[in-house]
Amino acid sequence: MKTIFLDFDGVLFDSVKEAYLLARFAYYGIEPHVSISENVYNIFRKYRYLNTHSWQFYYFFLLLENKTTDNLFEANYYELTANPNLQKIKDFDEKYVSARENLIKNDYEFWNSLDEPYDFFFKVKELAKNSDYEFIILTNKKKLPVQNRLSQYGINNIKLFANEDLVSYNNKAEFIADYLKNYSIANCYLIEDSVDNINTCKKYPQIKPLLVNWGYVNPKEKGLSEKEILEIIKG
């Protein structure tokens, strides 16, 4: 059996719109149902590849509010997130998570309309029916929203490890290495759109990371197409 770990946001689902609306609410208090400012949203999408955790969106909006120029945005973002204001990001993240939970509870139909599956998601869904593959989703999101989304598409044969499971680990690679050891698995693939997560695999030769060319990939990086990814994991 081939063991394949998958990122959720940016690999299986495009969740930029949800992230933007929740982050806007957490920063400005603007309700998610208020129409999107396309100009700001497009900049948010452009730099989505910088983000790994929801609290970091605080600094997206801080930089957008300060009208940070393109040539400084990435450098300023890394500088700010390297030494974050712990109280501000805690408050921001609590509002972010609370807004998502509120939408799921009180306006599920609207929340459900925000994310869209990539074509790759449906290819994985089909492959997961084959006992030769074990697919495992790793996400920094809370478990319930992702479980809800998978259930909507009739997914019940893919393991899911979410924020609650990953919080005690420094990164996904560390979690995967532990998982492989605990279940006596020799090696695996990790399919990701985050270069940072790809790079953390370097110290674990049993993990073969595959960077996709869709989702929220740093435009400076060359990822693999859906066809190339499928050929590798099937091969």
Side-chain angles (χ1 to χ4, degrees), residues 23-212:
R24 186 184 66 174
F25 172 80
Y27 193 88
Y28 287 114
I30 299 173
E31 291 297 326
H33 295 83
V34 174
S35 61
I36 286 173
S37 165
E38 290 297 331
N39 183 48
V40 177
Y41 177 67
N42 289 336
I43 299 173
F44 184 92
R45 175 179 280 279
K46 177 180 179 179
Y47 289 106
R48 173 64 180 82
Y49 72 89
L50 294 171
N51 172 273
T52 306
H53 300 285
S54 54
W55 65 262
Q56 294 168 325
F57 287 131
Y58 171 81
Y59 291 105
F60 267 48
F61 274 90
L62 180 63
L63 291 169
L64 289 171
E65 188 175 54
N66 292 336
K67 295 182 169 47
T68 306
T69 57
D70 265 1
N71 62 319
L72 295 175
F73 197 100
E74 185 171 339
N76 287 1
Y77 172 84
Y78 282 130
E79 182 180 349
L80 290 168
T81 54
N83 296 286
N85 182 314
L86 297 182
Q87 188 59 54
K88 283 189 181 296
I89 65 171
K90 179 177 181 292
D91 293 344
F92 176 90
D93 210 40
E94 286 176 352
K95 291 176 184 176
Y96 184 100
V97 172
S98 176
R100 174 186 285 141
E101 292 173 349
N102 182 58
L103 282 178
I104 292 171
K105 181 180 179 181
N106 298 311
D107 198 347
Y108 184 86
E109 186 175 343
F110 174 74
W111 172 79
N112 196 44
S113 71
L114 299 178
D115 293 356
E116 295 183 358
Y118 291 107
D119 289 342
F120 185 69
F121 168 78
F122 297 104
K123 303 291 175 54
V124 167
K125 181 181 177 181
E126 285 303 306
L127 276 180
K129 297 175 183 177
N130 188 325
S131 59
D132 290 339
Y133 302 94
E134 178 187 39
F135 287 101
I136 303 168
I137 293 173
L138 297 182
T139 178
N140 288 311
K141 279 186 170 179
K142 293 289 186 181
K143 184 167 287 185
L144 181 60
V146 180
Q147 281 180 331
N148 288 343
R149 185 50 50 90
L150 295 177
S151 295
Q152 176 192 352
Y153 286 91
I155 300 291
N156 53 22
N157 54 352
I158 295 179
K159 290 182 181 178
L160 168 65
F161 294 99
N163 176 269
E164 299 92 324
D165 307 295
L166 300 176
V167 68
S168 61
Y169 291 87
N170 290 315
N171 50 60
K172 289 182 179 179
E174 192 176 282
F175 173 88
I176 293 170
D178 236 11
Y179 184 94
L180 297 182
K181 180 180 178 181
N182 291 338
Y183 288 92
S184 301
I185 300 171
N187 49 63
C188 70
Y189 293 104
L190 169 63
I191 302 175
E192 262 284 353
D193 69 327
S194 166
V195 175
D196 288 343
N197 286 331
I198 292 288
N199 289 338
T200 60
C201 295
K202 289 179 179 177
K203 64 183 288 189
Y204 303 104
Q206 66 271 41
I207 305 172
K208 182 174 182 180
L210 303 173
L211 180 70
V212 305

